[in-house]
PDB file of all heavy atoms in Angstrom:
ATOM      1  N   SER B   1     -14.072-102.653  50.085  1.00 30.00           N
ATOM      2  CA  SER B   1     -13.680-102.297  48.724  1.00 30.00           C
ATOM      3  C   SER B   1     -12.190-102.506  48.528  1.00 30.00           C
ATOM      4  O   SER B   1     -11.375-102.090  49.339  1.00 30.00           O
ATOM      5  CB  SER B   1     -14.015-100.826  48.448  1.00 30.00           C
ATOM      6  OG  SER B   1     -13.409-100.398  47.250  1.00 30.00           O
ATOM      7  N   ALA B   2     -11.842-103.148  47.431  1.00 28.00           N
ATOM      8  CA  ALA B   2     -10.424-103.407  47.140  1.00 28.00           C
ATOM      9  C   ALA B   2      -9.666-102.123  46.904  1.00 28.00           C
ATOM     10  O   ALA B   2      -8.449-102.091  46.970  1.00 28.00           O
ATOM     11  CB  ALA B   2     -10.307-104.309  45.912  1.00 28.00           C
ATOM     12  N   PHE B   3     -10.389-101.041  46.641  1.00 32.00           N
ATOM     13  CA  PHE B   3      -9.717 -99.792  46.335  1.00 32.00           C
ATOM     14  C   PHE B   3      -9.865 -98.779  47.459  1.00 32.00           C
ATOM     15  O   PHE B   3      -9.487 -97.632  47.298  1.00 32.00           O
ATOM     16  CB  PHE B   3     -10.240 -99.222  45.010  1.00 32.00           C
ATOM     17  CG  PHE B   3      -9.861-100.064  43.844  1.00 32.00           C
ATOM     18  CD1 PHE B   3     -10.707-101.060  43.392  1.00 32.00           C
ATOM     19  CD2 PHE B   3      -8.647 -99.900  43.219  1.00 32.00           C
ATOM     20  CE1 PHE B   3     -10.348-101.863  42.322  1.00 32.00           C
ATOM     21  CE2 PHE B   3      -8.276-100.704  42.149  1.00 32.00           C
ATOM     22  CZ  PHE B   3      -9.132-101.680  41.697  1.00 32.00           C
ATOM     23  N   GLY B   4     -10.419 -99.150  48.605  1.00 34.00           N
ATOM     24  CA  GLY B   4     -10.408 -98.320  49.795  1.00 34.00           C
ATOM     25  C   GLY B   4     -10.970 -96.932  49.602  1.00 34.00           C
ATOM     26  O   GLY B   4     -10.235 -95.977  49.484  1.00 34.00           O
ATOM     27  N   THR B   5     -12.295 -96.772  49.555  1.00 39.00           N
ATOM     28  CA  THR B   5     -12.877 -95.464  49.329  1.00 39.00           C
ATOM     29  C   THR B   5     -12.624 -94.518  50.500  1.00 39.00           C
ATOM     30  O   THR B   5     -12.597 -93.313  50.327  1.00 39.00           O
ATOM     31  CB  THR B   5     -14.391 -95.573  49.110  1.00 39.00           C
ATOM     32  OG1 THR B   5     -14.982 -96.214  50.237  1.00 39.00           O
ATOM     33  CG2 THR B   5     -14.696 -96.368  47.859  1.00 39.00           C
ATOM     34  N   ARG B   6     -12.430 -95.037  51.700  1.00 45.00           N
ATOM     35  CA  ARG B   6     -12.026 -94.268  52.862  1.00 45.00           C
ATOM     36  C   ARG B   6     -12.975 -93.103  53.168  1.00 45.00           C
ATOM     37  O   ARG B   6     -12.550 -92.026  53.529  1.00 45.00           O
ATOM     38  CB  ARG B   6     -10.588 -93.752  52.694  1.00 45.00           C
ATOM     39  CG  ARG B   6      -9.596 -94.854  52.447  1.00 45.00           C
ATOM     40  CD  ARG B   6      -8.183 -94.355  52.448  1.00 45.00           C
ATOM     41  NE  ARG B   6      -7.951 -93.255  51.542  1.00 45.00           N
ATOM     42  CZ  ARG B   6      -7.833 -93.379  50.228  1.00 45.00           C
ATOM     43  NH1 ARG B   6      -7.967 -94.556  49.675  1.00 45.00           N
ATOM     44  NH2 ARG B   6      -7.577 -92.327  49.469  1.00 45.00           N
ATOM     45  N   GLU B   7     -14.264 -93.293  53.003  1.00 49.00           N
ATOM     46  CA  GLU B   7     -15.197 -92.245  53.381  1.00 49.00           C
ATOM     47  C   GLU B   7     -15.162 -92.086  54.902  1.00 49.00           C
ATOM     48  O   GLU B   7     -14.783 -92.976  55.645  1.00 49.00           O
ATOM     49  CB  GLU B   7     -16.610 -92.598  52.922  1.00 49.00           C
ATOM     50  CG  GLU B   7     -16.763 -92.605  51.410  1.00 49.00           C
ATOM     51  CD  GLU B   7     -18.190 -92.846  50.986  1.00 49.00           C
ATOM     52  OE1 GLU B   7     -19.083 -92.753  51.846  1.00 49.00           O
ATOM     53  OE2 GLU B   7     -18.402 -93.126  49.795  1.00 49.00           O
ATOM     54  N   SER B   8     -15.594 -90.896  55.362  1.00 48.00           N
ATOM     55  CA  SER B   8     -15.593 -90.623  56.794  1.00 48.00           C
ATOM     56  C   SER B   8     -16.456 -91.651  57.520  1.00 48.00           C
ATOM     57  O   SER B   8     -17.581 -91.939  57.107  1.00 48.00           O
ATOM     58  CB  SER B   8     -16.121 -89.215  57.052  1.00 48.00           C
ATOM     59  OG  SER B   8     -15.270 -88.265  56.471  1.00 48.00           O
ATOM     60  N   ARG B   9     -15.923 -92.188  58.616  1.00 67.00           N
ATOM     61  CA  ARG B   9     -16.651 -93.176  59.393  1.00 67.00           C
ATOM     62  C   ARG B   9     -16.778 -92.671  60.830  1.00 67.00           C
ATOM     63  O   ARG B   9     -15.806 -92.236  61.420  1.00 67.00           O
ATOM     64  CB  ARG B   9     -15.919 -94.525  59.368  1.00 67.00           C
ATOM     65  CG  ARG B   9     -16.042 -95.244  58.035  1.00 67.00           C
ATOM     66  CD  ARG B   9     -15.001 -96.333  57.927  1.00 67.00           C
ATOM     67  NE  ARG B   9     -15.276 -97.259  56.854  1.00 67.00           N
ATOM     68  CZ  ARG B   9     -15.056 -96.992  55.577  1.00 67.00           C
ATOM     69  NH1 ARG B   9     -14.564 -95.813  55.227  1.00 67.00           N
ATOM     70  NH2 ARG B   9     -15.324 -97.872  54.638  1.00 67.00           N
ATOM     71  N   LYS B  10     -17.975 -92.770  61.372  1.00 81.00           N
ATOM     72  CA  LYS B  10     -18.170 -92.328  62.743  1.00 81.00           C
ATOM     73  C   LYS B  10     -17.653 -93.386  63.707  1.00 81.00           C
ATOM     74  O   LYS B  10     -17.642 -94.572  63.415  1.00 81.00           O
ATOM     75  CB  LYS B  10     -19.649 -92.044  63.001  1.00 81.00           C
ATOM     76  CG  LYS B  10     -20.171 -90.824  62.252  1.00 81.00           C
ATOM     77  CD  LYS B  10     -21.595 -90.504  62.658  1.00 81.00           C
ATOM     78  CE  LYS B  10     -22.082 -89.234  61.969  1.00 81.00           C
ATOM     79  NZ  LYS B  10     -23.455 -88.851  62.372  1.00 81.00           N
ATOM     80  N   PHE B  11     -17.209 -92.932  64.863  1.00 86.00           N
ATOM     81  CA  PHE B  11     -16.787 -93.847  65.908  1.00 86.00           C
ATOM     82  C   PHE B  11     -17.184 -93.246  67.243  1.00 86.00           C
ATOM     83  O   PHE B  11     -17.515 -92.057  67.336  1.00 86.00           O
ATOM     84  CB  PHE B  11     -15.277 -94.111  65.849  1.00 86.00           C
ATOM     85  CG  PHE B  11     -14.428 -92.897  66.080  1.00 86.00           C
ATOM     86  CD1 PHE B  11     -13.946 -92.598  67.338  1.00 86.00           C
ATOM     87  CD2 PHE B  11     -14.109 -92.051  65.027  1.00 86.00           C
ATOM     88  CE1 PHE B  11     -13.161 -91.479  67.556  1.00 86.00           C
ATOM     89  CE2 PHE B  11     -13.322 -90.934  65.232  1.00 86.00           C
ATOM     90  CZ  PHE B  11     -12.847 -90.647  66.497  1.00 86.00           C
ATOM     91  N   THR B  12     -17.153 -94.063  68.275  1.00 90.00           N
ATOM     92  CA  THR B  12     -17.706 -93.642  69.565  1.00 90.00           C
ATOM     93  C   THR B  12     -16.721 -93.895  70.691  1.00 90.00           C
ATOM     94  O   THR B  12     -16.112 -94.972  70.767  1.00 90.00           O
ATOM     95  CB  THR B  12     -19.023 -94.389  69.856  1.00 90.00           C
ATOM     96  OG1 THR B  12     -19.943 -94.131  68.798  1.00 90.00           O
ATOM     97  CG2 THR B  12     -19.629 -93.934  71.178  1.00 90.00           C
ATOM     98  N   PHE B  13     -16.575 -92.895  71.560  1.00 91.00           N
ATOM     99  CA  PHE B  13     -15.849 -93.056  72.823  1.00 91.00           C
ATOM    100  C   PHE B  13     -16.878 -93.308  73.920  1.00 91.00           C
ATOM    101  O   PHE B  13     -17.873 -92.578  74.046  1.00 91.00           O
ATOM    102  CB  PHE B  13     -15.047 -91.805  73.163  1.00 91.00           C
ATOM    103  CG  PHE B  13     -14.490 -91.809  74.566  1.00 91.00           C
ATOM    104  CD1 PHE B  13     -13.259 -92.371  74.833  1.00 91.00           C
ATOM    105  CD2 PHE B  13     -15.218 -91.272  75.628  1.00 91.00           C
ATOM    106  CE1 PHE B  13     -12.739 -92.391  76.123  1.00 91.00           C
ATOM    107  CE2 PHE B  13     -14.706 -91.285  76.919  1.00 91.00           C
ATOM    108  CZ  PHE B  13     -13.463 -91.840  77.159  1.00 91.00           C
ATOM    109  N   THR B  14     -16.641 -94.319  74.737  1.00 93.00           N
ATOM    110  CA  THR B  14     -17.477 -94.575  75.904  1.00 93.00           C
ATOM    111  C   THR B  14     -16.571 -94.952  77.060  1.00 93.00           C
ATOM    112  O   THR B  14     -15.779 -95.901  76.946  1.00 93.00           O
ATOM    113  CB  THR B  14     -18.474 -95.716  75.644  1.00 93.00           C
ATOM    114  OG1 THR B  14     -19.305 -95.374  74.535  1.00 93.00           O
ATOM    115  CG2 THR B  14     -19.347 -95.952  76.869  1.00 93.00           C
ATOM    116  N   GLY B  15     -16.651 -94.205  78.161  1.00 93.00           N
ATOM    117  CA  GLY B  15     -15.805 -94.517  79.298  1.00 93.00           C
ATOM    118  C   GLY B  15     -16.250 -93.806  80.563  1.00 93.00           C
ATOM    119  O   GLY B  15     -16.908 -92.760  80.512  1.00 93.00           O
ATOM    120  N   PRO B  16     -15.894 -94.359  81.716  1.00 94.00           N
ATOM    121  CA  PRO B  16     -16.227 -93.716  82.988  1.00 94.00           C
ATOM    122  C   PRO B  16     -15.393 -92.455  83.186  1.00 94.00           C
ATOM    123  O   PRO B  16     -14.250 -92.372  82.720  1.00 94.00           O
ATOM    124  CB  PRO B  16     -15.879 -94.787  84.029  1.00 94.00           C
ATOM    125  CG  PRO B  16     -14.826 -95.619  83.359  1.00 94.00           C
ATOM    126  CD  PRO B  16     -15.156 -95.616  81.902  1.00 94.00           C
ATOM    127  N   VAL B  17     -15.964 -91.470  83.851  1.00 94.00           N
ATOM    128  CA  VAL B  17     -15.262 -90.206  84.046  1.00 94.00           C
ATOM    129  C   VAL B  17     -15.319 -89.791  85.517  1.00 94.00           C
ATOM    130  O   VAL B  17     -16.304 -90.058  86.213  1.00 94.00           O
ATOM    131  CB  VAL B  17     -15.856 -89.092  83.159  1.00 94.00           C
ATOM    132  CG1 VAL B  17     -15.484 -89.319  81.702  1.00 94.00           C
ATOM    133  CG2 VAL B  17     -17.369 -88.999  83.307  1.00 94.00           C
ATOM    134  N   ASN B  18     -14.235 -89.153  85.956  1.00 94.00           N
ATOM    135  CA  ASN B  18     -14.151 -88.667  87.336  1.00 94.00           C
ATOM    136  C   ASN B  18     -14.699 -87.244  87.409  1.00 94.00           C
ATOM    137  O   ASN B  18     -14.057 -86.300  86.944  1.00 94.00           O
ATOM    138  CB  ASN B  18     -12.696 -88.681  87.817  1.00 94.00           C
ATOM    139  CG  ASN B  18     -12.169 -90.087  87.992  1.00 94.00           C
ATOM    140  OD1 ASN B  18     -12.866 -90.958  88.512  1.00 94.00           O
ATOM    141  ND2 ASN B  18     -10.936 -90.319  87.563  1.00 94.00           N
ATOM    142  N   LEU B  19     -15.880 -87.116  87.967  1.00 96.00           N
ATOM    143  CA  LEU B  19     -16.495 -85.800  88.129  1.00 96.00           C
ATOM    144  C   LEU B  19     -16.555 -85.453  89.611  1.00 96.00           C
ATOM    145  O   LEU B  19     -16.522 -86.332  90.478  1.00 96.00           O
ATOM    146  CB  LEU B  19     -17.910 -85.801  87.533  1.00 96.00           C
ATOM    147  CG  LEU B  19     -18.007 -86.115  86.027  1.00 96.00           C
ATOM    148  CD1 LEU B  19     -19.475 -86.166  85.600  1.00 96.00           C
ATOM    149  CD2 LEU B  19     -17.248 -85.079  85.212  1.00 96.00           C
ATOM    150  N   ARG B  20     -16.656 -84.166  89.889  1.00 95.00           N
ATOM    151  CA  ARG B  20     -16.732 -83.693  91.274  1.00 95.00           C
ATOM    152  C   ARG B  20     -17.948 -82.794  91.419  1.00 95.00           C
ATOM    153  O   ARG B  20     -18.545 -82.350  90.436  1.00 95.00           O
ATOM    154  CB  ARG B  20     -15.468 -82.925  91.629  1.00 95.00           C
ATOM    155  CG  ARG B  20     -15.236 -81.693  90.778  1.00 95.00           C
ATOM    156  CD  ARG B  20     -13.814 -81.197  90.858  1.00 95.00           C
ATOM    157  NE  ARG B  20     -13.598 -80.007  90.039  1.00 95.00           N
ATOM    158  CZ  ARG B  20     -12.414 -79.584  89.621  1.00 95.00           C
ATOM    159  NH1 ARG B  20     -11.318 -80.269  89.941  1.00 95.00           N
ATOM    160  NH2 ARG B  20     -12.308 -78.486  88.896  1.00 95.00           N
ATOM    161  N   ALA B  21     -18.315 -82.502  92.640  1.00 96.00           N
ATOM    162  CA  ALA B  21     -19.435 -81.594  92.873  1.00 96.00           C
ATOM    163  C   ALA B  21     -19.066 -80.197  92.393  1.00 96.00           C
ATOM    164  O   ALA B  21     -17.930 -79.749  92.561  1.00 96.00           O
ATOM    165  CB  ALA B  21     -19.796 -81.569  94.355  1.00 96.00           C
ATOM    166  N   GLY B  22     -20.022 -79.524  91.751  1.00 97.00           N
ATOM    167  CA  GLY B  22     -19.761 -78.186  91.222  1.00 97.00           C
ATOM    168  C   GLY B  22     -19.434 -78.251  89.741  1.00 97.00           C
ATOM    169  O   GLY B  22     -19.832 -79.166  89.022  1.00 97.00           O
ATOM    170  N   ALA B  23     -18.678 -77.256  89.268  1.00 96.00           N
ATOM    171  CA  ALA B  23     -18.365 -77.143  87.839  1.00 96.00           C
ATOM    172  C   ALA B  23     -17.264 -78.129  87.449  1.00 96.00           C
ATOM    173  O   ALA B  23     -16.254 -78.256  88.155  1.00 96.00           O
ATOM    174  CB  ALA B  23     -17.947 -75.722  87.506  1.00 96.00           C
ATOM    175  N   ASN B  24     -17.453 -78.796  86.344  1.00 96.00           N
ATOM    176  CA  ASN B  24     -16.474 -79.725  85.791  1.00 96.00           C
ATOM    177  C   ASN B  24     -16.168 -79.325  84.349  1.00 96.00           C
ATOM    178  O   ASN B  24     -17.086 -79.127  83.543  1.00 96.00           O
ATOM    179  CB  ASN B  24     -17.010 -81.158  85.805  1.00 96.00           C
ATOM    180  CG  ASN B  24     -17.146 -81.708  87.204  1.00 96.00           C
ATOM    181  OD1 ASN B  24     -16.277 -82.410  87.702  1.00 96.00           O
ATOM    182  ND2 ASN B  24     -18.277 -81.392  87.850  1.00 96.00           N
ATOM    183  N   LYS B  25     -14.904 -79.221  84.049  1.00 95.00           N
ATOM    184  CA  LYS B  25     -14.500 -78.821  82.698  1.00 95.00           C
ATOM    185  C   LYS B  25     -14.212 -80.060  81.859  1.00 95.00           C
ATOM    186  O   LYS B  25     -13.357 -80.879  82.210  1.00 95.00           O
ATOM    187  CB  LYS B  25     -13.258 -77.933  82.753  1.00 95.00           C
ATOM    188  CG  LYS B  25     -12.855 -77.353  81.408  1.00 95.00           C
ATOM    189  CD  LYS B  25     -11.709 -76.367  81.554  1.00 95.00           C
ATOM    190  CE  LYS B  25     -11.345 -75.745  80.213  1.00 95.00           C
ATOM    191  NZ  LYS B  25     -10.240 -74.756  80.346  1.00 95.00           N
ATOM    192  N   ILE B  26     -14.930 -80.203  80.756  1.00 96.00           N
ATOM    193  CA  ILE B  26     -14.705 -81.285  79.795  1.00 96.00           C
ATOM    194  C   ILE B  26     -13.991 -80.702  78.585  1.00 96.00           C
ATOM    195  O   ILE B  26     -14.470 -79.740  77.972  1.00 96.00           O
ATOM    196  CB  ILE B  26     -16.033 -81.941  79.375  1.00 96.00           C
ATOM    197  CG1 ILE B  26     -16.718 -82.577  80.588  1.00 96.00           C
ATOM    198  CG2 ILE B  26     -15.805 -82.975  78.279  1.00 96.00           C
ATOM    199  CD1 ILE B  26     -18.072 -83.168  80.281  1.00 96.00           C
ATOM    200  N   ALA B  27     -12.834 -81.256  78.271  1.00 96.00           N
ATOM    201  CA  ALA B  27     -12.062 -80.802  77.111  1.00 96.00           C
ATOM    202  C   ALA B  27     -11.795 -82.004  76.204  1.00 96.00           C
ATOM    203  O   ALA B  27     -11.226 -83.004  76.651  1.00 96.00           O
ATOM    204  CB  ALA B  27     -10.745 -80.160  77.557  1.00 96.00           C
ATOM    205  N   LEU B  28     -12.220 -81.904  74.976  1.00 96.00           N
ATOM    206  CA  LEU B  28     -12.073 -82.979  73.997  1.00 96.00           C
ATOM    207  C   LEU B  28     -11.162 -82.491  72.881  1.00 96.00           C
ATOM    208  O   LEU B  28     -11.446 -81.473  72.244  1.00 96.00           O
ATOM    209  CB  LEU B  28     -13.438 -83.374  73.428  1.00 96.00           C
ATOM    210  CG  LEU B  28     -14.567 -83.620  74.441  1.00 96.00           C
ATOM    211  CD1 LEU B  28     -15.870 -83.903  73.721  1.00 96.00           C
ATOM    212  CD2 LEU B  28     -14.194 -84.752  75.387  1.00 96.00           C
ATOM    213  N   LEU B  29     -10.075 -83.206  72.657  1.00 96.00           N
ATOM    214  CA  LEU B  29      -9.153 -82.849  71.580  1.00 96.00           C
ATOM    215  C   LEU B  29      -9.426 -83.754  70.387  1.00 96.00           C
ATOM    216  O   LEU B  29      -9.123 -84.950  70.416  1.00 96.00           O
ATOM    217  CB  LEU B  29      -7.701 -82.993  72.024  1.00 96.00           C
ATOM    218  CG  LEU B  29      -6.652 -82.639  70.961  1.00 96.00           C
ATOM    219  CD1 LEU B  29      -6.792 -81.198  70.499  1.00 96.00           C
ATOM    220  CD2 LEU B  29      -5.238 -82.911  71.471  1.00 96.00           C
ATOM    221  N   SER B  30     -10.012 -83.185  69.345  1.00 96.00           N
ATOM    222  CA  SER B  30     -10.284 -83.927  68.121  1.00 96.00           C
ATOM    223  C   SER B  30      -9.079 -83.804  67.197  1.00 96.00           C
ATOM    224  O   SER B  30      -8.529 -82.718  67.012  1.00 96.00           O
ATOM    225  CB  SER B  30     -11.531 -83.381  67.424  1.00 96.00           C
ATOM    226  OG  SER B  30     -11.780 -84.074  66.213  1.00 96.00           O
ATOM    227  N   MET B  31      -8.674 -84.944  66.616  1.00 94.00           N
ATOM    228  CA  MET B  31      -7.479 -84.975  65.777  1.00 94.00           C
ATOM    229  C   MET B  31      -7.835 -85.497  64.389  1.00 94.00           C
ATOM    230  O   MET B  31      -8.556 -86.489  64.255  1.00 94.00           O
ATOM    231  CB  MET B  31      -6.411 -85.869  66.413  1.00 94.00           C
ATOM    232  CG  MET B  31      -5.916 -85.331  67.746  1.00 94.00           C
ATOM    233  SD  MET B  31      -4.804 -86.473  68.597  1.00 94.00           S
ATOM    234  CE  MET B  31      -5.959 -87.657  69.273  1.00 94.00           C
ATOM    235  N   ALA B  32      -7.323 -84.827  63.376  1.00 93.00           N
ATOM    236  CA  ALA B  32      -7.496 -85.253  61.988  1.00 93.00           C
ATOM    237  C   ALA B  32      -6.191 -85.862  61.487  1.00 93.00           C
ATOM    238  O   ALA B  32      -5.105 -85.476  61.920  1.00 93.00           O
ATOM    239  CB  ALA B  32      -7.899 -84.070  61.113  1.00 93.00           C
ATOM    240  N   VAL B  33      -6.303 -86.810  60.568  1.00 93.00           N
ATOM    241  CA  VAL B  33      -5.121 -87.448  59.978  1.00 93.00           C
ATOM    242  C   VAL B  33      -5.235 -87.340  58.459  1.00 93.00           C
ATOM    243  O   VAL B  33      -5.191 -88.319  57.733  1.00 93.00           O
ATOM    244  CB  VAL B  33      -4.990 -88.918  60.423  1.00 93.00           C
ATOM    245  CG1 VAL B  33      -3.610 -89.465  60.059  1.00 93.00           C
ATOM    246  CG2 VAL B  33      -5.216 -89.064  61.922  1.00 93.00           C
ATOM    247  N   GLY B  34      -5.421 -86.119  57.990  1.00 94.00           N
ATOM    248  CA  GLY B  34      -5.545 -85.871  56.560  1.00 94.00           C
ATOM    249  C   GLY B  34      -6.993 -85.808  56.120  1.00 94.00           C
ATOM    250  O   GLY B  34      -7.841 -86.564  56.591  1.00 94.00           O
ATOM    251  N   LEU B  35      -7.287 -84.885  55.211  1.00 95.00           N
ATOM    252  CA  LEU B  35      -8.644 -84.719  54.712  1.00 95.00           C
ATOM    253  C   LEU B  35      -8.891 -85.663  53.535  1.00 95.00           C
ATOM    254  O   LEU B  35      -7.959 -86.114  52.874  1.00 95.00           O
ATOM    255  CB  LEU B  35      -8.858 -83.265  54.281  1.00 95.00           C
ATOM    256  CG  LEU B  35      -8.672 -82.214  55.375  1.00 95.00           C
ATOM    257  CD1 LEU B  35      -9.055 -80.835  54.870  1.00 95.00           C
ATOM    258  CD2 LEU B  35      -9.472 -82.563  56.622  1.00 95.00           C
ATOM    259  N   PRO B  36     -10.161 -85.968  53.256  1.00 93.00           N
ATOM    260  CA  PRO B  36     -10.465 -86.898  52.158  1.00 93.00           C
ATOM    261  C   PRO B  36      -9.924 -86.387  50.828  1.00 93.00           C
ATOM    262  O   PRO B  36      -9.845 -85.175  50.594  1.00 93.00           O
ATOM    263  CB  PRO B  36     -11.993 -86.972  52.160  1.00 93.00           C
ATOM    264  CG  PRO B  36     -12.444 -85.756  52.896  1.00 93.00           C
ATOM    265  CD  PRO B  36     -11.388 -85.474  53.909  1.00 93.00           C
TER     266      PRO B  36
END
C-alpha cells in the first residue's frame, strides 16, 4: 500500500539453543516500537 497501513505482522525466530541436563531457563524479551 502506498499509504502504509502498518497492521501488526507476525514474524518468527528460529535458531539452535544451548540446553543442559536438568532445568533450563528461557527468557524472551519482547520489544515494541510504538502502538498502532
Side-chain angles (χ1 to χ4, degrees):
S1 168
F3 293 92
T5 57
R6 303 187 306 284
E7 293 185 13
S8 297
R9 286 164 165 77
K10 291 186 177 182
F11 63 94
T12 302
F13 169 88
T14 301
V17 288
N18 291 318
L19 299 176
R20 61 197 180 200
N24 291 263
K25 186 174 182 179
I26 298 176
L28 312 176
L29 180 60
S30 178
M31 296 173 282
V33 193
L35 300 186

